[in-house]
Amino acid sequence: MALKVGRCLLQHQLDVRNMTQTELALRLDITPQQISKYVRNRQRMSIEVAANVAKVLGCDIEHLYEWIEVGKHE
């Protein structure tokens, strides 16, 4: 089975934790505009950024994006 990255679920993760994009940006030492780009699917997070976001939010990295199955290999 192969997977591809779907839409970003970062805003949902923030909402669940009652955290704003700005608060997350401050904790990560990046701009709120950059967080907005991720949330609006204008840019994907690097693996490093995603790992840091997951750590700050206390979630698994795979919960930051929707994952779409694209094929099966047996």
Side-chain angles (χ1 to χ4, degrees):
M1 170 180 67
L3 298 172
K4 72 174 186 173
V5 177
R7 67 184 178 89
C8 182
L9 302 176
L10 178 55
Q11 188 60 55
H12 171 73
Q13 295 297 331
L14 290 170
D15 292 345
V16 167
R17 290 158 182 80
N18 200 30
M19 183 183 286
T20 67
Q21 292 180 25
T22 301
E23 290 170 328
L24 178 61
L26 287 171
R27 302 234 357 230
L28 295 170
D29 196 28
I30 61 176
T31 67
Q33 292 82 4
Q34 189 62 47
I35 298 295
S36 179
K37 287 179 186 178
Y38 301 143
V39 167
R40 293 182 297 133
N41 291 295
R42 303 245 183 220
Q43 184 176 348
R44 286 196 188 140
M45 290 179 256
S46 69
I47 192 71
E48 182 178 331
V49 170
N52 285 309
V53 167
K55 184 172 183 172
V56 167
L57 296 180
C59 70
D60 293 328
I61 196 169
E62 59 266 11
H63 293 144
L64 297 176
Y65 282 96
E66 180 180 72
W67 295 94
I68 301 165
E69 187 177 327
V70 293
K72 292 184 180 181
H73 301 279
E74 296 182 13

